[in-house]
Amino acid sequence: MNDRDEIANTLEHALALASEICLRYFRQPLPVDVKPDDTPVTRADREAEAAIRELIGARHPGHAIHGEEHGNTAGAGGTWVIDPIDGTQSFVLGNPLFGCLVGFVRDGVVEAGGLAMPALGETWLATRDAATRRNGEAVHVSGCSVLAEASLLATSPDMFDTAERAAFDAVAARTRYRRFGGDCYAYAMLAGGWSDLVIEAGLKPFDILPLVPIIEQAGGIVSDWGGRPLGLEFDSRVIAAATPELHDEALAVLADSL
Amino acid sequence: MNDRDEIANTLEHALALASEICLRYFRQPLPVDVKPDDTPVTRADREAEAAIRELIGARHPGHAIHGEEHGNTAGAGGTWVIDPIDGTQSFVLGNPLFGCLVGFVRDGVVEAGGLAMPALGETWLATRDAATRRNGEAVHVSGCSVLAEASLLATSPDMFDTAERAAFDAVAARTRYRRFGGDCYAYAMLAGGWSDLVIEAGLKPFDILPLVPIIEQAGGIVSDWGGRPLGLEFDSRVIAAATPELHDEALAVLADSL
């Protein structure tokens, strides 16, 4: 296997490991701890990330790792980004829309990204040399190019501060639908061509970087609210759109409102 | 079969028919019409309801039918209540959390209710002589009896008017989590014992009546915001809780805020 195939192979294995651990604990009695940033965490999050880190450590011993639950491990030649359960709140409330996210970043580019939805039986994978695949089948974003026709998704109104919420509402008022809920799956609904626009805030790199190739290799666009590409450092605000025209129109409304 | 078994059998068949039709159209290109009340409807909604009505008409020719898409058919001996796709917006945006709802009301009591989640492969059924079942397995609500420990669900903040939203927020501020999204599935997450409280407004009888036995036969409580039982006429506001204590505490906060 060449290096790219090895990365993709590790990614797929990592998601399978994490999915299995998640399903073992999903809808079972499970203590929930609250982290210093007020977000919930469970044994399932910690075990899933530990299993992924062990796999990466064994197969790519030199690489760096940034994980949500077990922090940063220094390294060279690339950085793995892990969110073992994106949507832990959904997970602990029995909602099937939680996912496992793993991405690989090299020279500032997310070269490969994967999303597993254990309770839905879906795996989404993207590398830079191919179209995004959902359970092996290529997907493509919608052709929606105007806000007036667009559906807008966000996980929760509670993820925005007051100014961000006003800006989000300004965009929402111009769209056809807005819907809350979804966590990482909102971006999959965009990549799948079923929804058109996602605008969120309060995200950390591991929440979104693995989704960047999934969105882009399906033909979509993702950036911060200033239109800048996302990297290991960004300001927590994300906008993803099906087309450049829709992205531009929404960015202009955000800029006017902030 | 006795009458009760026949009702339950029809209900199960109706959900299977509707599920099949939903899955045929889910994530396929599908024109979306907007109804006079500003809610979306598709060919999938209309075909699913027509199939259910035909089945009921053939098996229980005298009964009345109230359906979301094809209106009311007068009758005697009981009323079937149908929401062929609850969460049509989710359905058209590719979100798997849409459901098919069918219930049977006689003498003011919802005797049987069913929820199919076609994209999740789940069927929830309840009759008055047995525990609620999810894919054949009995479920039970959580034991959560205080708001401070409770998770609160609602489909969207946009379902409330200003006064309702303030009352909802007053309850939410006292809970452990609040999450949006879910439509009918929020009530299933309550019946399954994974979430504790659902507070919504703007509902019509077909949105909620089929869920009443699913909630109650799992040990939960459901009423309007005044604590009154739900029937074919109610004021569109619904609260469902895992325990009477939690229901009382939330009702008191709603009453204080309205």
Side-chain angles (χ1 to χ4, degrees):
Chain A
M1 274 197 281
N2 67 31
D3 173 58
R4 285 204 162 194
D5 289 348
E6 254 180 62
I7 297 288
N9 189 271
T10 299
L11 203 152
E12 213 165 334
H13 270 81
L15 292 174
L17 276 175
S19 293
E20 197 202 310
I21 292 168
C22 287
L23 288 180
R24 201 184 305 149
Y25 289 109
F26 186 49
R27 297 178 174 173
Q28 302 302 317
L30 192 63
V32 180
D33 300 326
V34 178
K35 293 188 285 188
D37 68 354
D38 216 32
T39 59
V41 63
T42 69
R43 181 189 297 177
D45 302 71
R46 294 195 189 101
E47 282 185 20
E49 183 172 322
I52 296 172
R53 293 178 90 105
E54 194 182 318
L55 179 80
I56 293 170
R59 297 180 65 152
H60 311 277
H63 288 171
I65 303 180
H66 289 200
E68 177 171 20
E69 310 306 343
H70 299 292
N72 296 349
T73 302
T79 301
W80 293 84
V81 186
I82 307 166
D83 188 352
I85 302 184
D86 184 81
T88 301
Q89 240 186 59
S90 286
F91 179 79
V92 301
L93 303 186
N95 185 320
L97 296 191
F98 65 90
C100 311
L101 291 169
V102 181
F104 180 69
V105 186
R106 185 153 47 187
D107 300 329
V109 174
V110 193
E111 287 190 2
L115 161 67
M117 297 295 294
L120 301 183
E122 292 182 7
T123 303
W124 298 66
L125 292 168
T127 55
R128 289 304 178 181
D129 51 4
T132 301
R133 289 178 181 272
R134 169 181 172 267
N135 288 351
E137 202 173 311
V139 295
H140 202 273
V141 293
S142 80
C144 181
S145 61
V146 289
L147 273 184
E149 288 296 317
S151 53
L152 169 62
L153 307 177
T155 294
S156 171
D158 301 336
M159 71 194 330
F160 303 110
D161 67 25
T162 309
E164 288 166 348
R165 178 67 198 272
F168 174 84
D169 285 344
V171 179
R174 289 166 170 79
T175 59
R176 186 163 180 193
Y177 307 112
R178 75 160 176 190
R179 294 286 291 181
F180 295 105
D183 294 289
C184 49
Y185 203 63
Y187 299 93
M189 287 161 65
L190 171 72
W194 315 314
S195 297
D196 310 309
L197 186 62
V198 188
I199 298 181
E200 300 200 309
L203 300 191
K204 304 220 174 93
F206 41 71
D207 292 323
I208 186 68
L209 291 186
L211 294 161
V212 167
I214 290 176
I215 297 160
E216 293 180 344
Q217 299 304 115
I221 261 190
V222 56
S223 71
D224 71 11
W225 289 15
R228 290 170 293 265
L230 304 179
L232 285 166
E233 311 273 334
F234 76 106
D235 75 353
S236 94
R237 296 166 174 174
V238 172
I239 173 170
T243 62
E245 296 80 6
L246 185 61
H247 187 247
D248 285 348
E249 191 182 351
L251 279 178
V253 178
L254 290 174
D256 275 351
S257 313
L258 276 176
Chain B
M1 277 198 280
N2 66 30
D3 173 59
R4 284 204 164 196
D5 289 347
E6 253 181 63
I7 296 289
N9 189 271
T10 299
L11 204 152
E12 213 165 333
H13 270 80
L15 293 174
L17 276 176
S19 293
E20 196 202 311
I21 292 168
C22 287
L23 288 180
R24 200 184 307 150
Y25 289 110
F26 186 50
R27 297 179 175 172
Q28 302 303 318
L30 191 62
V32 179
D33 300 325
V34 178
K35 292 188 285 189
D37 68 353
D38 216 33
T39 60
V41 63
T42 70
R43 181 188 298 179
D45 303 71
R46 294 197 188 101
E47 283 186 18
E49 184 171 320
I52 296 172
R53 294 178 89 106
E54 195 181 319
L55 180 79
I56 293 170
R59 297 182 65 154
H60 311 276
H63 288 170
I65 303 180
H66 288 199
E68 177 171 18
E69 309 306 344
H70 299 292
N72 296 350
T73 302
T79 301
W80 292 85
V81 186
I82 307 167
D83 188 352
I85 302 184
D86 184 80
T88 300
Q89 238 185 61
S90 287
F91 179 78
V92 300
L93 303 186
N95 185 320
L97 296 191
F98 65 91
C100 310
L101 290 169
V102 181
F104 180 69
V105 186
R106 185 153 46 188
D107 300 330
V109 174
V110 192
E111 287 190 3
L115 161 68
M117 298 295 294
L120 302 183
E122 291 182 8
T123 303
W124 298 67
L125 293 167
T127 53
R128 289 302 178 182
D129 51 4
T132 301
R133 290 179 180 271
R134 169 181 171 269
N135 288 351
E137 201 173 312
V139 295
H140 203 274
V141 293
S142 79
C144 181
S145 61
V146 289
L147 273 183
E149 288 296 318
S151 53
L152 169 62
L153 307 179
T155 295
S156 172
D158 301 335
M159 71 194 331
F160 303 110
D161 67 25
T162 309
E164 288 166 347
R165 178 67 197 272
F168 174 84
D169 284 344
V171 179
R174 289 165 169 81
T175 59
R176 185 161 180 195
Y177 306 112
R178 75 159 175 190
R179 294 287 290 182
F180 294 106
D183 293 288
C184 49
Y185 203 63
Y187 299 92
M189 287 161 65
L190 171 72
W194 314 313
S195 297
D196 310 308
L197 186 62
V198 188
I199 298 181
E200 299 200 310
L203 300 190
K204 304 222 174 91
F206 42 71
D207 291 323
I208 186 68
L209 291 185
L211 293 160
V212 167
I214 290 175
I215 297 160
E216 293 180 345
Q217 300 302 116
I221 260 191
V222 55
S223 72
D224 72 10
W225 288 16
R228 292 170 292 265
L230 304 179
L232 284 166
E233 310 273 333
F234 77 106
D235 75 352
S236 94
R237 296 166 175 174
V238 172
I239 173 171
T243 62
E245 296 80 6
L246 185 60
H247 186 246
D248 285 348
E249 191 183 352
L251 279 179
V253 178
L254 289 175
D256 276 351
S257 312
L258 277 176

